[in-house]
Amino acid sequence: MSSKPIIGISGSIIVDGSGNFPGYKRAYVNNDYVESVIRAGGVPYILPITEDPEIIKEYTKTIDGLILSGGHDVNPLLWGEEPKKELGEIFPKRDNFEFLLIENMLEEEKPIFGICRGEQILNVYFGGTLYQDLSHKKDCDVRHNQKTTPSLETHTVIIEKSSQLYKVLEEENILVNSFHHMAIKDVAPGFEIVALSKDCVVEAVEMKDRNIMAVQWHPEMLSKTNKIMQKLFNYFVSISSEE
Ligand SMILES: [Mn+2]
């Protein structure tokens, strides 16, 4: 292994709305993921979407750790629910890609860090369910889709003191940004809920024996100015280099 661990970041596809190639598909990740990994001493690799199992196997052999990035809603058919009216845009090809990535990372026994959609897809992969929209959750009255300024912390998260997350952040109460309308409903077997918002939305889970952690907010959008959030990437890069 190289001296700097290679961190794969699951990619997405954006359709170019303007310029010379309107309607053209581009493979991408938000650059904040790239910068957070570099600041942590890792080498970021963007993993373009494919459903070819051979290519995905090569991805996971090459990388030392995987970040599952944010994005589309997860297809509710994956946990046996019909789509409800409030469901946002889904991208089943990406769900399939990320399921295969997770499966191969588990085989390789390498760490995974899920962010936002990344937390949701991990929970569904391991047999949990999601709220298709937070309006379906009783007593949910915190704004979890803040609409503005990605780098602004808007709601409180309370962290379980016995968790790995607490060891990493060394804080019991943190402020996070929030750009989600889905959230974990039934947590998957093997996952521990380690952080909640004040209206009891699951904000972080972990599976310690498998080096999997996931958060519902977007630390990569905060980490440039917020030292606590950068610690998540520093920790993840450090465990990715341990094998
Ligand atoms: Mn939230």
Side-chain angles (χ1 to χ4, degrees):
M1 202 193 75
S2 62
S3 54
K4 278 178 184 270
I6 296 169
I7 306 299
I9 305 160
S10 65
S12 190
I13 289 174
I14 194 163
V15 179
D16 198 345
S18 61
N20 286 339
F21 308 105
Y24 215 65
K25 288 179 180 174
R26 299 181 191 271
Y28 87 108
V29 302
N30 287 342
N31 202 46
D32 282 340
Y33 293 104
V34 170
E35 289 183 356
S36 299
V37 167
I38 292 174
R39 271 196 300 273
V43 177
Y45 276 23
I46 298 172
L47 307 178
I49 291 181
T50 172
E51 291 177 284
D52 184 326
E54 302 266 299
I55 292 176
I56 292 170
K57 190 166 250 338
E58 288 303 319
Y59 285 170
T60 58
K61 277 190 201 162
T62 305
I63 63 177
D64 301 303
L66 170 68
I67 292 177
L68 292 166
S69 64
H72 298 79
D73 281 6
V74 180
N75 187 352
L77 292 176
L78 290 173
W79 66 92
E81 241 177 39
E82 290 297 305
K84 296 190 193 293
K85 280 178 281 187
E86 293 77 13
L87 181 71
E89 196 186 339
I90 59 166
F91 190 178
K93 196 175 160 181
R94 184 172 177 193
D95 295 338
N96 192 27
F97 164 57
E98 291 183 332
F99 266 34
L100 288 167
L101 274 177
I102 296 166
E103 187 185 308
N104 281 274
M105 287 303 277
L106 293 172
E107 264 171 39
E108 298 276 340
E109 298 183 357
K110 290 173 178 173
I112 305 175
F113 180 24
I115 293 177
C116 196
R117 166 192 161 85
E119 181 196 66
Q120 297 164 1
I121 196 91
L122 278 164
N123 188 57
V124 174
Y125 176 88
F126 284 103
T129 67
L130 305 177
Y131 291 106
Q132 292 188 37
D133 186 83
L134 276 172
S135 63
H136 307 156
K137 177 176 153 53
K138 206 171 155 272
D139 300 327
C140 171
D141 60 0
V142 168
R143 186 171 188 106
H144 288 274
N145 200 348
Q146 69 189 56
K147 303 270 189 213
T148 55
T149 323
S151 60
L152 186 71
E153 299 86 350
T154 61
H155 79 64
T156 307
V157 164
I158 301 144
I159 298 171
E160 172 60 48
K161 281 193 93 169
S162 63
S163 65
Q164 185 58 40
L165 185 66
Y166 179 81
K167 273 190 207 145
V168 174
L169 299 182
E170 298 171 295
E171 304 275 345
E172 205 177 347
N173 283 276
I174 58 168
L175 284 172
V176 302
N177 56 3
S178 197
F179 292 93
H180 62 108
H181 79 114
M182 290 187 126
I184 291 179
K185 188 178 181 186
D186 303 301
V187 70
F191 268 129
E192 221 177 299
I193 297 171
V194 294
L196 293 172
S197 61
K198 290 210 167 168
D199 58 348
C200 293
V201 169
V202 175
E203 291 280 344
V205 291
E206 56 192 40
M207 201 179 277
K208 276 184 207 142
D209 53 336
R210 281 181 154 165
N211 267 340
I212 299 174
M213 71 158 46
V215 299
Q216 184 55 78
W217 67 93
H218 279 278
E220 83 286 1
M221 292 172 169
L222 301 169
S223 57
K224 192 174 178 183
T225 49
N226 181 328
K227 287 200 175 78
I228 294 168
M229 295 304 163
Q230 182 59 36
K231 282 183 182 180
L232 285 167
F233 295 94
N234 299 351
Y235 168 74
F236 186 66
V237 169
S238 78
I239 61 168
S240 299
S241 62
E242 270 169 10
E243 300 311 311

